[in-house]
Amino acid sequence: MNAFRYVLRSVLHYRFAYLGVLAGATLGATVLLGALFAGDSVAASLRRIGEQRIGRATHVLASGDRFFRQALADDLSAAIGGQAAPALIARGTATNTFSQGVAGQVQLVGITPGFWLFAPEATTVPPLSVEKSEVAINSALAGRLGLVVGDTVVVRLQKPGVLAGNAPIAGAEGKLESLRCKVAAVELYMSALPPAKSRKLAPYQPPALLALTRDFAFLADATLPAANLIRAVGGADKALITDVKLFDRFSGNGVADGKVSLAVEVVIQPTDRSLTDADIEALSVKVISAAAKIGAVLRG
């Protein structure tokens, strides 16, 4: 028996053991390769997310609760031979003037056009007018406050003093600063929108009792938005008042200067019984009282 036949017979004799070793080695190599591929994929995903957040910026110089000259960015750019852009970052609150919705701890960023040079890719941003107090907001804040382009948002932030706010001798120099801004742009990622949910609508069931309407004419300041009056009247009794419509706005003869007459139609929907004259009179008192709280009085 030569050496070749000896090896061959040995392999045939221990073939099942060798097959097990081969299968184990194959499985181990597959697991290792999968781990390497998965690791590379996760690393690439994290790198891509990081690049989307920081863009082309490589260094950030933060001043804490202090401020520096805007021209410092130009000086720094000339010193390093690269690009630099100033940015003002603060925390504050945002309020929707129509719905009165409030969002706290909002990050406020004031930038110059040079800031967009650090975007991860070419970015087209609508110009924002400082004179018109225009701002751009992200989709998260827009959804939370129900804001769209053209709406008014009030931004409030702490006005810093000469000393840091936590300094022992800082005093009460800082105060809240309110800025009335107009939404000029809203960030929206279509791919981030959730898919529409299909739902079955219940068949319409008309109310058992007929609705009735009452008209009210109020005298208010000309600066009072009609939407504020509609919201106040509708909130007088949410169980019975289902709709409020403005059908007349008048200023002129018979109306004092600086005043305006606002006439609204109130739709009243009884629920479990027909309303009596006393019920309607009580509801009218609620409507008049609600309007009076915002400075609107019933016309005689």
Side-chain angles (χ1 to χ4, degrees):
M1 178 180 297
N2 54 26
F4 176 76
R5 291 180 58 85
Y6 180 80
V7 172
L8 180 61
R9 291 177 66 88
S10 177
V11 170
L12 291 175
H13 181 75
Y14 295 104
R15 59 185 181 276
F16 296 108
Y18 292 155
L19 288 175
V21 174
L22 179 61
T26 303
L27 179 61
T30 303
V31 171
L32 290 176
L33 289 175
L36 291 175
F37 288 140
D40 290 342
S41 177
V42 172
S45 299
L46 294 176
R47 186 182 302 108
R48 184 171 61 255
I49 294 174
E51 290 175 350
Q52 289 176 350
R53 290 184 176 180
I54 65 175
R56 301 177 184 177
T58 58
H59 295 79
V60 176
L61 178 62
S63 61
D65 58 356
R66 298 287 186 173
F67 296 100
F68 52 81
R69 298 178 299 110
Q70 180 176 336
L72 180 61
D74 299 330
D75 299 340
L76 184 61
S77 178
I80 64 177
Q83 295 178 345
L88 177 63
I89 301 177
R91 289 280 182 177
T93 62
T95 304
N96 186 337
T97 57
F98 180 77
S99 66
Q100 299 302 315
V102 180
Q105 292 298 314
V106 176
Q107 187 176 35
L108 310 174
V109 183
I111 59 174
T112 62
F115 177 82
W116 301 111
L117 297 176
F118 295 93
E121 56 186 16
T123 304
T124 301
V125 181
L128 302 177
S129 173
V130 178
E131 291 77 13
K132 298 180 180 179
S133 299
E134 292 181 339
V135 296
I137 62 177
N138 60 19
S139 56
L141 183 60
R144 182 175 178 181
L145 297 182
L147 292 170
V148 296
V149 174
D151 285 351
T152 301
V153 57
V154 175
V155 177
R156 294 182 176 89
L157 69 158
Q158 189 75 24
K159 184 178 181 180
V162 177
L163 300 175
N166 57 355
I169 58 174
E173 185 175 350
K175 62 179 182 179
L176 286 177
E177 188 78 14
S178 297
L179 304 175
R180 195 175 186 88
C181 306
K182 179 181 179 181
V183 178
V186 176
E187 168 203 37
L188 179 63
Y189 294 111
M190 298 302 295
S191 59
L193 295 178
K197 296 182 179 179
S198 59
R199 59 176 182 174
K200 295 181 179 180
L201 298 178
Y204 172 72
Q205 295 182 353
L209 300 173
L210 293 178
L212 60 149
T213 61
R214 287 294 183 273
D215 297 340
F216 298 86
F218 296 98
L219 193 64
D221 292 336
T223 57
L224 178 68
N228 291 5
L229 177 63
I230 293 174
R231 184 164 52 249
V233 171
D237 192 325
K238 296 182 179 180
L240 292 177
I241 299 177
T242 58
D243 193 16
V244 181
K245 301 176 182 178
L246 178 73
F247 66 86
D248 183 64
R249 179 185 178 94
F250 174 76
S251 61
N253 294 334
V255 179
D257 293 340
K259 298 291 184 179
V260 65
S261 174
L262 301 174
V264 296
E265 179 188 64
V266 180
V267 180
I268 306 169
Q269 177 59 64
T271 54
D272 54 350
R273 62 180 178 84
S274 298
L275 299 180
T276 63
D277 292 341
D279 295 331
I280 298 176
E281 182 65 24
L283 181 60
S284 300
V285 172
K286 291 182 180 179
V287 169
I288 296 173
S289 299
K293 291 180 180 179
I294 61 172
V297 298
L298 188 68
R299 292 191 65 183

